[in-house]
Amino acid sequence: MVPSALQKLNGGFQFENNKGLCGAGFPELRACTAFNNMNINQVEPSGPITNTTTSKNIPVSAILQAPCDQTKCSNSSKFPQVAIISGVTTATIILIGVAFLIIFFYRRQKQKIGNISESSEGRLSTDQAKEFHGAGASPLVSLEYSNGWDPFRGCRNGVGISEPSLNNFRFNLEEVESATQCFSEVNLLGKSSFSSVYKGILRGGSLVAVRSINITSCKSEEDEFMKGLNLLTSLRHDNLVRLRGFCCSKGRGKCFLIYDFAPMGNLSRYLDLEDGSSHILEWSTRVSIINGIAKGIEYLHRGEANKPAIIHRRVSVEKVLLDQEFKPLMADSGLRKFLADDIVFSGIKTSAAMGYLAPEYVTTGHFTEKSDIYAFGVIILQILSGQHMLSNSMRLAAASSRYEDFIDTNLKGNFSESEAAMLSKIALDCTQELLEQRPTMEAVIQEMNKK
């Protein structure tokens, strides 16, 4: 039997230095009490402590060097790591949630106008206008005017610009931002390669359309820019979209043109309709629209004391807007004088793709008044047929007065044959291959008035 650790001392144990010890097997030691009656050489794996002399003796060194329980060691060492990982994960989730809420409430505040109920035509009431006009404009406004930037500063004299007249059309950035609710996407009506159009409402309650144009898309020469702006403000006719004013922002790098809003949209939305659509135009409305377009173009082509003769260049159903009474309003009139040449050219390519470009432009590369007249003839056929795309068979049907083959079937025969014959003839005359054979807009209006 292996001797115990105390027995290995071979008498070397000095009791005098360890008077507090107790135990059995050494005469010098006192007997242990019930509390102390546990042999230090004895290790019981489980069970209560008892006074026994038959326990298994194990060396003390073995007890001190015994490895710890692996499960307990593993749990004790992993607990701090698990706590750290859990804390970091929880903090990250909280931060992401807070960031999401901040972004959400910021977007809701920025697009507050989106919560304003509108009628089916998208109109806003005066009371609703006052409700959201209380919101302040962006910090850019104060920066804009603290810098004192003036778009008229440095303009040279002698270029035919009446600055007092232009000042009557000037809006400040705060007014434009307030009208569009800081150009909220909720109010975005359309976007092109060089501009965006937003719906807005002025402090007086009237609806407007705000065209936002990049400064880089405008005339680079300051004199040319001011000439174009002066021309836009000079155009006044019942069949042209009225320019309310403008605003130039150095901070945003944009120029804003503010027009009257046309609640019924452009003429394009009333073409290619299915039977039963609520947008189908009655015959009398179609004739009235054709007359109004003719008058608007004739005004542009006519030179006056305060306005030169203007070629529109982009006459199309997309450029014909309709007010509440379906009166046609020509849009973008004179805008080419305001825009850079490459921007104007990109618009010409669009017109060509849609069939409005006169044949002579392909050979000469120049526009004339007869180019606008050709596009006007195309619009007449589109309105009569109710179709965007025109075929040769439709033209032949119009020439031979076979109305059932080209008049919009959605009218269900409710149209005037005499007016259809007159308008068909005008459309075919306006779309003659040779520009010399096309009538002037003045002659077109005279022909219409004969009915």
Side-chain angles (χ1 to χ4, degrees):
M1 183 175 184
V2 180
S4 69
L6 292 178
Q7 291 172 342
K8 286 184 177 180
L9 294 176
N10 295 325
F13 175 73
Q14 302 297 322
F15 170 73
E16 293 82 3
N17 299 326
N18 299 276
K19 295 182 179 181
L21 294 176
C22 67
F26 292 90
E28 294 88 348
L29 298 180
R30 62 182 175 83
C32 293
T33 63
F35 178 79
N36 291 325
N37 194 18
M38 181 181 71
N39 194 336
I40 62 173
N41 298 322
Q42 176 182 322
V43 178
E44 293 288 344
S46 61
I49 299 175
T50 58
N51 267 334
T52 178
T53 58
T54 61
S55 62
K56 183 179 180 180
N57 292 328
I58 302 176
V60 174
S61 60
I63 296 175
L64 296 176
Q65 295 174 4
C68 67
D69 181 85
Q70 291 298 318
T71 303
K72 294 181 179 180
C73 287
S74 176
N75 290 340
S76 62
S77 61
K78 288 183 178 179
F79 178 75
Q81 297 179 10
V82 172
I84 293 173
I85 293 173
S86 299
V88 172
T89 303
T90 303
T92 302
I93 293 174
I94 292 174
L95 289 175
I96 292 174
V98 171
F100 175 79
L101 289 175
I102 292 174
I103 294 173
F104 174 77
F105 285 112
Y106 171 77
R107 294 282 295 178
R108 285 294 297 270
Q109 180 66 24
K110 184 178 179 181
Q111 298 183 356
K112 184 178 177 182
I113 190 174
N115 294 327
I116 300 175
S117 60
E118 301 182 3
S119 66
S120 59
E121 290 82 13
R123 291 171 291 166
L124 297 176
S125 68
T126 304
D127 293 338
Q128 290 169 335
K130 293 178 180 178
E131 179 181 344
F132 71 77
H133 259 296
S138 73
L140 181 60
V141 173
S142 58
L143 175 64
E144 188 83 15
Y145 296 105
S146 65
N147 291 339
W149 181 66
D150 186 350
F152 300 100
R153 184 178 299 168
C155 290
R156 295 190 293 275
N157 294 325
V159 293
I161 298 175
S162 175
E163 184 172 328
S165 175
L166 285 177
N167 280 331
N168 294 332
F169 290 89
R170 293 178 67 179
F171 281 69
N172 60 48
L173 184 60
E174 180 182 7
E175 291 175 305
V176 177
E177 287 191 334
S178 179
T180 60
Q181 203 67 7
C182 292
F183 306 100
S184 167
E185 292 184 3
V186 173
N187 293 326
L188 183 63
L189 297 175
K191 182 179 292 187
S192 68
S193 58
F194 71 93
S195 70
S196 300
V197 181
Y198 296 87
K199 181 180 179 180
I201 186 165
L202 300 178
R203 288 189 173 88
S206 56
L207 287 170
V208 293
V210 179
R211 182 186 287 275
S212 171
I213 305 174
N214 297 326
I215 289 296
T216 55
S217 298
C218 300
K219 293 286 188 183
S220 57
E221 292 293 330
E222 190 172 11
D223 287 350
E224 292 299 316
F225 175 87
M226 297 301 294
K227 284 180 181 179
L229 189 57
N230 192 59
L231 176 63
L232 290 178
T233 59
S234 70
L235 300 179
R236 286 289 181 271
H237 191 271
D238 286 344
N239 294 112
L240 300 186
V241 179
R242 184 165 72 100
L243 179 69
R244 287 289 193 94
F246 66 91
C247 171
C248 296
S249 170
K250 181 180 180 181
R252 288 188 178 272
K254 294 182 181 295
C255 186
F256 306 102
L257 301 178
I258 298 92
Y259 293 94
D260 281 342
F261 182 71
M264 306 312 291
N266 65 46
L267 187 54
S268 176
R269 69 184 297 197
Y270 299 92
L271 301 179
D272 298 324
L273 301 178
E274 296 180 357
D275 185 21
S277 171
S278 60
H279 291 324
I280 296 174
L281 300 175
E282 296 181 355
W283 177 255
S284 59
T285 303
R286 300 185 193 216
V287 175
S288 176
I289 289 173
I290 293 173
N291 273 276
I293 296 172
K295 292 176 181 178
I297 296 176
E298 192 275 333
Y299 167 78
L300 292 175
H301 289 179
R302 185 177 69 244
E304 296 180 347
N306 62 338
K307 179 195 74 66
I310 298 173
I311 302 171
H312 191 290
R313 300 191 181 204
R314 294 190 62 192
V315 176
S316 68
V317 289
E318 283 75 17
K319 302 302 178 184
V320 178
L321 307 182
L322 302 173
D323 70 4
Q324 192 62 40
E325 285 74 37
F326 287 92
K327 180 175 70 175
L329 305 169
M330 297 296 297
D332 292 357
S333 303
L335 191 61
R336 70 173 187 85
K337 294 285 189 180
F338 184 78
L339 299 175
D341 293 338
D342 57 336
I343 299 299
V344 174
F345 181 72
S346 67
I348 293 172
K349 292 191 295 183
T350 302
S351 296
M354 298 174 65
Y356 298 104
L357 199 60
E360 66 271 9
Y361 182 81
V362 178
T363 56
T364 65
H366 295 291
F367 279 98
T368 66
E369 293 176 357
K370 298 297 183 72
S371 305
D372 286 350
I373 292 172
Y374 182 91
F376 171 69
V378 174
I379 289 180
I380 294 178
L381 293 176
Q382 289 177 316
I383 293 175
L384 296 182
S385 65
Q387 302 293 321
H388 266 105
M389 302 303 297
L390 302 175
S391 63
N392 288 331
S393 62
M394 293 172 61
R395 293 177 182 271
L396 291 174
S400 59
S401 299
R402 289 186 282 109
Y403 307 118
E404 68 278 3
D405 292 337
F406 80 95
I407 296 294
D408 191 356
T409 56
N410 287 320
L411 288 171
K412 302 186 184 304
N414 295 320
F415 64 91
S416 168
E417 289 192 5
S418 61
E419 288 180 329
M422 178 265 294
L423 293 174
S424 298
K425 182 180 182 302
I426 292 175
L428 295 173
D429 289 343
C430 290
T431 54
Q432 290 286 341
E433 288 285 329
L434 299 178
L435 61 88
E436 295 84 2
Q437 297 179 356
R438 300 172 204 154
T440 63
M441 288 307 302
E442 184 178 1
V444 167
I445 293 175
Q446 290 176 353
E447 184 69 23
M448 289 182 176
N449 291 335
K450 289 180 181 179
K451 62 177 182 177

